[in-house]
Amino acid sequence: MKNPLQSTLVAWIALFIVVIVIIFTFQFRQQWWSFIDLFFAFMMVFCQLAGLYIHRFNPYAGKTLQTIAAWCLGLMILAFIGEYIAYQVIVP
Protein backbone atom coordinates (compact mmCIF):
# COMPACT_ATOMS: atom_id res chain seq x y z
CA MET A 1 0.00 0.00 0.00
CA LYS A 2 1.14 3.50 -0.81
CA ASN A 3 2.23 5.84 1.98
CA PRO A 4 -0.75 8.12 2.79
CA LEU A 5 1.59 11.12 2.98
CA GLN A 6 2.60 10.47 -0.62
CA SER A 7 -0.98 10.19 -1.93
CA THR A 8 -2.45 13.01 -3.98
CA LEU A 9 -5.98 11.88 -3.08
CA VAL A 10 -5.24 12.28 0.64
CA ALA A 11 -3.68 15.70 -0.02
CA TRP A 12 -6.76 16.85 -1.98
CA ILE A 13 -9.06 15.64 0.81
CA ALA A 14 -6.93 17.46 3.39
CA LEU A 15 -7.04 20.66 1.32
CA PHE A 16 -10.81 20.38 1.07
CA ILE A 17 -11.09 19.86 4.85
CA VAL A 18 -8.87 22.87 5.59
CA VAL A 19 -10.95 25.10 3.31
CA ILE A 20 -14.18 23.88 4.94
CA VAL A 21 -12.73 24.58 8.41
CA ILE A 22 -11.72 28.08 7.32
CA ILE A 23 -15.20 28.77 5.97
CA PHE A 24 -17.09 27.43 8.99
CA THR A 25 -14.88 29.03 11.65
CA PHE A 26 -14.57 32.42 9.95
CA GLN A 27 -17.32 34.05 11.98
CA PHE A 28 -15.90 32.84 15.31
CA ARG A 29 -12.49 34.44 14.79
CA GLN A 30 -12.66 38.09 15.79
CA GLN A 31 -8.99 39.14 15.77
CA TRP A 32 -6.74 39.08 12.73
CA TRP A 33 -4.12 36.99 14.51
CA SER A 34 -6.57 34.17 15.12
CA PHE A 35 -6.20 33.08 11.47
CA ILE A 36 -2.47 32.34 11.72
CA ASP A 37 -2.96 28.65 12.54
CA LEU A 38 -5.36 28.22 9.63
CA PHE A 39 -2.93 30.01 7.33
CA PHE A 40 -0.16 27.57 8.22
CA ALA A 41 -2.58 24.63 7.88
CA PHE A 42 -3.50 25.78 4.39
CA MET A 43 0.12 26.38 3.42
CA MET A 44 1.10 22.96 4.77
CA VAL A 45 -1.50 21.13 2.70
CA PHE A 46 -0.93 23.28 -0.38
CA CYS A 47 2.85 22.79 -0.30
CA GLN A 48 2.43 19.05 0.19
CA LEU A 49 0.03 18.83 -2.74
CA ALA A 50 2.26 20.95 -4.97
CA GLY A 51 5.29 18.93 -3.92
CA LEU A 52 3.56 15.69 -4.87
CA TYR A 53 2.74 16.96 -8.34
CA ILE A 54 6.09 18.70 -8.97
CA HIS A 55 8.06 15.68 -7.73
CA ARG A 56 7.29 13.92 -11.01
CA PHE A 57 9.15 16.60 -13.01
CA ASN A 58 11.73 17.84 -10.52
CA PRO A 59 12.39 15.59 -7.52
CA TYR A 60 14.52 18.21 -5.75
CA ALA A 61 11.79 20.88 -5.94
CA GLY A 62 9.18 18.37 -4.79
CA LYS A 63 11.29 17.37 -1.80
CA THR A 64 11.86 21.05 -0.97
CA LEU A 65 8.13 21.75 -1.02
CA GLN A 66 7.49 18.75 1.21
CA THR A 67 10.12 20.08 3.63
CA ILE A 68 8.38 23.46 3.64
CA ALA A 69 5.11 21.64 4.36
CA ALA A 70 6.74 19.98 7.38
CA TRP A 71 7.93 23.39 8.63
CA CYS A 72 4.43 24.77 8.17
CA LEU A 73 3.10 21.89 10.28
CA GLY A 74 5.44 22.86 13.11
CA LEU A 75 4.52 26.53 12.79
CA MET A 76 0.82 25.63 12.74
CA ILE A 77 1.18 23.74 16.01
CA LEU A 78 3.06 26.67 17.58
CA ALA A 79 0.45 29.13 16.30
CA PHE A 80 -2.36 26.97 17.68
CA ILE A 81 -0.72 26.86 21.10
CA GLY A 82 -0.02 30.59 20.99
CA GLU A 83 -3.59 31.31 19.98
CA TYR A 84 -4.90 29.18 22.83
CA ILE A 85 -2.70 30.99 25.34
CA ALA A 86 -3.65 34.39 23.91
CA TYR A 87 -7.35 33.62 24.22
CA GLN A 88 -6.83 32.52 27.83
CA VAL A 89 -4.88 35.69 28.74
CA ILE A 90 -6.20 38.45 26.47
CA VAL A 91 -9.81 37.46 25.84
CA PRO A 92 -11.47 36.46 29.13
Side-chain angles (χ1 to χ4, degrees), residues 10-85:
V10 172
W12 275 110
I13 292 170
L15 183 65
F16 180 73
I17 290 171
V18 167
V19 170
I20 293 299
V21 167
I22 290 171
I23 291 170
F24 283 131
T25 64
F26 190 81
Q27 64 185 351
F28 300 120
R29 299 173 182 267
Q30 301 298 323
Q31 290 80 18
W32 66 268
W33 47 264
S34 63
F35 289 98
I36 294 174
D37 56 343
L38 293 178
F39 168 75
F40 283 121
F42 179 81
M43 288 305 296
M44 172 190 61
V45 175
F46 182 78
C47 287
Q48 179 68 17
L49 185 62
L52 290 173
Y53 279 113
I54 290 177
H55 185 73
R56 298 175 189 165
F57 306 109
N58 188 347
Y60 178 73
K63 185 68 174 168
T64 303
L65 280 170
Q66 290 177 345
T67 303
I68 292 169
W71 276 98
C72 286
L73 173 65
L75 291 172
M76 180 193 72
I77 292 170
L78 287 175
F80 185 74
I81 292 169
E83 184 178 327
Y84 176 76
I85 292 170

